[in-house]
Amino acid sequence: MEKISLNQPAEQKVLKGINLIEKGDLPDNNLDNTWIELQGSRGQFLAKGYLSAQNKGAGWVITRRQEELDLAFFVTLFQMAWNKRQAYHAYRIFNQDGDGFGGLTIDFYDGYSVFSWYNEFIYSQRANIIEAFQKALPQIKGGYEKIRFKGLDYESRHLFGQEAPETFTVLENGVCYQVFLNDGLMTGIFLDQHEVRGSLVDGLAAGQSVLNLFSYTAAFSVAAAMGGAAETTSVDLAKRSRELSQAHFEANHLELDHHRFVVMDVFDYFKYAKRHDLSYDVIILDPPSFARNKKKTFSVAKDYHNLIAQSLEILNPKGILIASTNAANLTISKFKEQIEKGFGSQAHNYVQTYRLPADFQINKKDESSNYLKVFTIGI
């Protein structure tokens, strides 16, 4: 195991409990995709971890103890993570450094597991990790993997055990969602939004008209419909979104008469809605952190205020906005600044705030670990 001495600022980060290793923390070296031992400015042991480039940095601290990172370590890691979780049909079993190992997430879908590898090194360790996982949780029927770094010629495949049906339903808050485990990087539902969907199921939009923008498979729309929404409109640029969205509604035996699925750029839809005098009681905004199409680019950090401002033009009096982002590089205060810029002089009040749900364990020493930020806002 290679030993690396950290400079004093990086040493302080490790001592504070931050697990992400950034390029600026390291002295000049050519190491990558390897286990490392981190030493302090006096040569003392600080931690063990690994180096591997991913979008969040250069590597991860794994343990601050002098212990072996072997099969038994992973077995214990997975058993501890499983014991913390609540019994949704679909939830996160293991969440990166929140559960003690950055670069890896594992999700559970009604008996099946989905591993996401975020860098080359963690991918190179997958045989050991999978063996430990199966020892720790033999009740899991089968496993799939998602490749979330560049360089391989596939994104998704079956890993072990039984193969899941091509599509099947999972239950959350009394609502059925159709999922698929081996079709690209997505699965049909974003698990970190349990609680926000729960608020819609509980009647936040009862009797109201709902506009769901960047809707993906319209999971928010289904939750709103099951909670008594009078009508929903789901807008997404992806052509496949219509088919996937309808599948959720059909899984819950909902008639489609009052539920529309629109394949269109969101900013074009704002213009369409204004031309046709359309307005809504509840508008849901959950865009990707960054997106580009032929006409424009969109960044949550710079452009979210435009979404707020244009939504207000088609939001009914006493309406509700649900403003959401999963951008880890955007603090909750900076996100709120974007929201306030969008509202301008329009009176409003923050009704509810959501962060990651309990199954998405976080590193409480590192705010960026708690990446989800959702505000329910009334006018």
Side-chain angles (χ1 to χ4, degrees), residues 189-209:
I189 188 173
F190 292 118
L191 298 182
D192 54 6
Q193 296 279 11
H194 299 308
E195 294 175 351
V196 183
R197 287 190 294 269
S199 71
L200 292 163
V201 174
D202 289 343
L204 179 67
Q208 307 290 296
S209 58

Side-chain angles (χ1 to χ4, degrees), residues 114-369:
V114 177
F115 291 71
S116 287
W117 317 108
Y118 283 85
N119 59 60
E120 288 184 40
F121 183 74
I122 195 72
Y123 178 79
S124 74
Q125 301 295 308
R126 68 193 186 286
N128 198 37
I129 290 169
I130 292 163
E131 181 182 354
F133 181 82
Q134 290 181 285
K135 284 180 179 292
L137 305 174
Q139 65 271 40
I140 301 295
K141 292 186 286 189
Y144 289 81
E145 66 179 349
K146 307 292 184 183
I147 309 303
R148 298 189 180 274
F149 61 91
K150 295 179 180 178
L152 298 185
D153 60 0
Y154 73 98
E155 291 183 330
S156 176
R157 70 180 178 188
H158 178 250
L159 268 180
F160 64 84
Q162 293 181 30
E163 291 192 37
E166 185 175 346
T167 62
F168 60 99
T169 59
V170 294
L171 189 67
E172 177 197 270
N173 300 316
V175 181
C176 292
Y177 297 95
Q178 182 172 283
V179 297
F180 40 89
L181 303 188
N182 199 21
D183 186 1
L185 294 177
M186 302 301 190
T187 61
I189 188 173
F190 292 118
L191 298 182
D192 54 6
Q193 296 279 11
H194 299 308
E195 294 175 351
V196 183
R197 287 190 294 269
S199 71
L200 292 163
V201 174
D202 289 343
L204 179 67
Q208 307 290 296
S209 58
V210 176
L211 175 62
N212 180 10
L213 299 172
F214 307 97
S215 60
Y216 179 42
T217 63
F220 286 132
S221 304
V222 176
M226 292 293 283
E231 61 180 70
T232 68
T233 301
S234 305
V235 181
D236 197 284
L237 185 57
K239 291 182 180 179
R240 197 182 173 203
S241 63
R242 188 195 306 272
E243 167 198 345
L244 297 175
S245 300
Q246 288 179 349
H248 284 329
F249 278 80
E250 290 164 1
N252 291 281
H253 309 289
L254 290 167
E255 297 293 335
L256 300 181
D257 298 356
H258 301 290
H259 305 289
R260 299 176 62 230
F261 311 99
V262 180
V263 178
M264 187 183 292
D265 175 80
V266 163
F267 288 98
D268 289 340
Y269 189 80
F270 284 129
K271 297 173 187 174
Y272 173 87
K274 284 183 277 189
R275 281 200 311 269
H276 292 82
D277 295 321
L278 300 176
S279 61
Y280 303 89
D281 301 312
V282 179
I283 299 179
I284 303 166
L285 299 169
D286 187 25
S289 299
F290 182 84
R292 177 185 286 114
N293 63 28
K294 294 178 181 178
K295 298 179 182 178
K296 63 175 76 71
T297 59
F298 173 85
S299 164
V300 163
K302 297 178 180 179
D303 304 316
Y304 203 100
H305 66 94
N306 288 327
L307 288 177
I308 297 289
Q310 294 199 52
S311 294
L312 290 175
E313 294 180 10
I314 58 172
L315 185 66
N316 289 331
K318 298 184 179 179
I320 292 172
L321 276 181
I322 298 177
S324 173
T325 182
N326 64 358
N329 64 341
L330 188 69
T331 65
I332 193 165
S333 60
K334 289 293 184 183
F335 182 45
K336 209 166 185 178
E337 284 178 17
Q338 280 287 312
I339 293 171
E340 290 299 316
K341 184 177 179 181
F343 270 98
S345 60
Q346 169 69 57
H348 58 285
N349 64 294
Y350 289 84
V351 178
Q352 184 64 269
T353 301
Y354 297 95
R355 304 302 302 274
L356 284 172
D359 53 316
F360 280 68
Q361 291 284 304
I362 63 170
N363 176 6
K364 295 178 181 178
K365 306 289 182 64
D366 185 357
E367 170 60 22
S368 69
S369 176

